[in-house]
Amino acid sequence: MLLKKRFVQLSPPQSLILVFAVAIFFGTLFLLLPVATEEDISFIDALFTATSAMTVTGLVVVDTGSVFTTFGESVILILIQVGGLGIMTFAVLIYMVLGKKIGIKERLLIKQAMNQTSIGGLIFLIKRLLIFSLSVELIAIVFLSLRWVPEMGWRDGIYTSVFHAVSAFNNAGFSIWSDSLSGYATDPVVNIVISFLFIIGGIGFTVVFDLWNKKEFQHLSLHTKIMLVGTLSINLFSLIMIFVLEYNNPDTLADLSSGGKWLASYFQAVTPRTAGFNSIDIGQMEESSLFYIITLMFIGGGSASTAGGVKLSTALIILLATFAVFKEKDNVVLYHRSIRPFLVMRALALTIGSIGVVIVSVFVLNLTEDASFLTILFECVSAFGTVGLSMGLTGDLTFIGKVVLIMTMLIGKLGPLTFAFAFAKSTPDPVKYPPEDVMTG
């Protein structure tokens, strides 16, 4: 009763962090069971794997396909599904099955977990989210099975399809193969289905439902318009960038056919915004390509989605605010709508907080790990953006390095502002003070 009372007294951000921590802890215990692995693994490796799965990151310190049994992989898959769709989504489902009432406290926690602006319509949104997500995954499993069942047989083909469909839709990037999807770099079915899953999962559920309800572009919300135009623009630009930068690289695209080059470039252009799969060897890419991918990983996907990063809408708001300053405008305007100053400040706070987390992670790993600065930066941004792409450092991390990336993945998944709100007291100004200018620039 005392524990329940203390939990009720927690703020929504504190409760969300606690729920995630408990889920990761139990996931770790399950992965430590003898039935979960082919060989003994340490507690820190199990904790790292559970955190990576729960935060839908995809970074691994041990090879998923060879170290974990089917039971262990199933535990990872459950953590991915719960972490991707949101632990509160499944909590609501359990509440509804048990016939329990969902009160204001629970709705506030759901609002925090799903990054929504109000508590209105949350339960209806969750019901639609569950139905939509499971339906999309099921359809993808059918298409992937048509490709993999003839190659692997019914049992392995369907299992492989289920694992990769769930992992892709939730932007987790976990694969049962050590080289991810490199063996299918030029396979159109695998590339199209997997990329479709993580793009739909990463664009944001509110965007998908807004598109479902409103068929015409002008009737869409400003957020949906930003995400659609922004996603299309950045994916197209990234496709051209990767194609040009890697065209003559013998370790990535050079030996592929013309069509294979475009397909591999497309996949590697859209996956960094938190999907985490790779169809070419990341460690062999040009440094210019790697730096560009770091930028994409930091930006991430959409709000209220399975993706991580600072979110595309946040990056675009910062960019638009910068242009507004250059043009000496007082307001940020897009599609004949003004963006409130509070949202600009929130976007700036989120970005600065995210940069701070990455800087601290990079600084510590530069002290503990024997690797180049670019490799460390790539790994830290991948962890923060819950991407899962790796240049090969994660498997060789020291104990401290693993702990740092565990914390980085958790903060990246829940967001720096969630942790700030959880541990900082709200102190509204009791009085209004006169303004005074400060020199900048």
Side-chain angles (χ1 to χ4, degrees), residues 27-38 41 46 49-50 53 63-65 67-80 159 163 174 176:
T28 302
L29 294 183
F30 277 111
L31 291 178
L32 286 172
L33 295 175
V35 70
T37 58
E38 301 286 356
I41 62 172
T49 303
D63 183 53
T64 305
V67 172
F68 292 102
T69 62
T70 302
F71 175 82
E73 291 174 358
S74 299
V75 172
I76 292 173
L77 208 60
I78 292 172
L79 290 173
I80 289 172
Y159 174 75
F163 190 95
F174 272 88
I176 58 176

Side-chain angles (χ1 to χ4, degrees), residues 63 147-148 151-152 160 164 173-188 190-191 194 198 251-253 255-256 260-261 263-265 267-268 271 276-285 388-390:
D63 183 53
R147 173 63 184 85
W148 280 328
E151 178 184 332
M152 306 174 188
T160 302
H164 287 89
F174 272 88
S175 175
I176 58 176
W177 299 303
S178 58
D179 60 352
S180 191
L181 298 177
S182 296
Y184 299 90
T186 58
D187 189 301
V190 174
N191 278 262
I194 294 295
F198 62 65
D251 296 315
T252 55
L253 298 184
D255 295 334
L256 300 178
K261 284 184 173 70
L263 192 59
S265 297
F267 192 84
Q268 215 50 60
T271 192
F277 291 102
N278 60 280
S279 60
I280 56 178
D281 190 345
I282 298 296
Q284 299 300 319
M285 295 182 76
L389 292 177
S390 174

Side-chain angles (χ1 to χ4, degrees), residues 67-380:
V67 172
F68 292 102
T69 62
T70 302
F71 175 82
E73 291 174 358
S74 299
V75 172
I76 292 173
L77 208 60
I78 292 172
L79 290 173
I80 289 172
Q81 188 75 288
V82 172
L85 298 185
I87 195 166
M88 295 312 302
T89 301
F90 290 93
V92 169
L93 178 62
I94 294 172
Y95 263 66
M96 289 190 297
V97 170
L98 296 177
K100 292 194 174 185
K101 184 179 179 181
I102 300 172
I104 296 297
K105 181 73 176 181
E106 290 78 12
R107 291 174 189 266
L108 289 172
L109 185 54
I110 296 167
K111 171 179 170 289
Q112 180 75 35
M114 299 190 69
N115 197 23
Q116 296 296 299
T117 57
S118 70
I119 62 174
L122 282 177
I123 307 306
F124 179 66
L125 175 64
I126 285 180
K127 290 178 182 178
R128 295 181 69 184
L129 169 59
L130 280 170
I131 295 172
F132 171 77
S133 302
L134 297 178
S135 299
V136 170
E137 288 176 352
L138 183 59
I139 293 171
I141 290 168
V142 172
F143 279 100
L144 290 175
S145 296
L146 293 175
R147 173 63 184 85
W148 280 328
V149 166
E151 178 184 332
M152 306 174 188
W154 281 101
R155 180 183 177 276
D156 291 341
I158 292 177
Y159 174 75
T160 302
S161 301
V162 170
F163 190 95
H164 287 89
V166 174
S167 182
F169 181 76
N170 290 286
N171 279 240
F174 272 88
S175 175
I176 58 176
W177 299 303
S178 58
D179 60 352
S180 191
L181 298 177
S182 296
Y184 299 90
T186 58
D187 189 301
V189 174
V190 174
N191 278 262
I192 292 172
V193 173
I194 294 295
S195 63
F196 171 80
L197 283 169
F198 62 65
I199 289 174
I200 291 296
I203 200 171
F205 303 117
T206 51
V207 173
V208 174
F209 296 148
D210 194 25
L211 282 170
W212 184 271
N213 295 326
K214 305 168 186 175
K215 309 301 181 183
E216 297 182 11
F217 184 82
Q218 61 265 30
H219 296 152
L220 298 173
S221 69
L222 179 60
H223 176 75
T224 299
K225 292 176 180 177
I226 289 175
M227 286 305 304
L228 290 177
V229 175
T231 299
L232 180 61
S233 301
I234 198 170
N235 284 350
L236 182 59
F237 182 76
S238 299
L239 165 62
I240 297 172
M241 284 287 289
I242 298 298
F243 182 83
V244 171
L245 294 173
E246 295 296 320
Y247 188 85
N248 292 317
N249 187 343
D251 296 315
T252 55
L253 298 184
D255 295 334
L256 300 178
S257 64
S258 178
K261 284 184 173 70
W262 281 110
L263 192 59
S265 297
Y266 157 75
F267 192 84
Q268 215 50 60
V270 296
T271 192
R273 289 182 42 247
T274 86
F277 291 102
N278 60 280
S279 60
I280 56 178
D281 190 345
I282 298 296
Q284 299 300 319
M285 295 182 76
E286 301 288 350
E287 288 193 353
S288 53
S289 300
L290 293 170
F291 187 77
Y292 181 70
I293 287 175
I294 288 173
T295 305
L296 293 178
M297 292 192 298
F298 185 77
I299 292 173
S303 297
S305 73
T306 59
V310 296
K311 303 297 188 295
L312 180 58
S313 54
T314 302
L316 289 175
I317 287 175
I318 294 292
L319 188 63
L320 291 170
T322 303
F323 288 151
V325 171
F326 290 164
K327 294 180 179 181
E328 297 184 347
K329 292 184 176 181
D330 295 329
N331 298 310
V332 178
V333 179
L334 186 64
Y335 290 113
H336 306 293
R337 292 290 186 272
S338 294
I339 298 176
R340 289 185 295 144
F342 170 75
L343 292 178
V344 178
M345 291 180 62
R346 183 183 176 92
L348 180 61
L350 174 59
T351 303
I352 295 300
S354 301
I355 292 173
V357 172
V358 172
I359 288 175
V360 172
S361 301
V362 171
F363 181 80
V364 176
L365 261 63
N366 264 297
L367 297 175
T368 62
E369 312 304 317
D370 183 18
S372 67
F373 176 80
L374 182 63
T375 301
I376 290 174
L377 177 62
F378 190 97
E379 225 78 4
C380 289

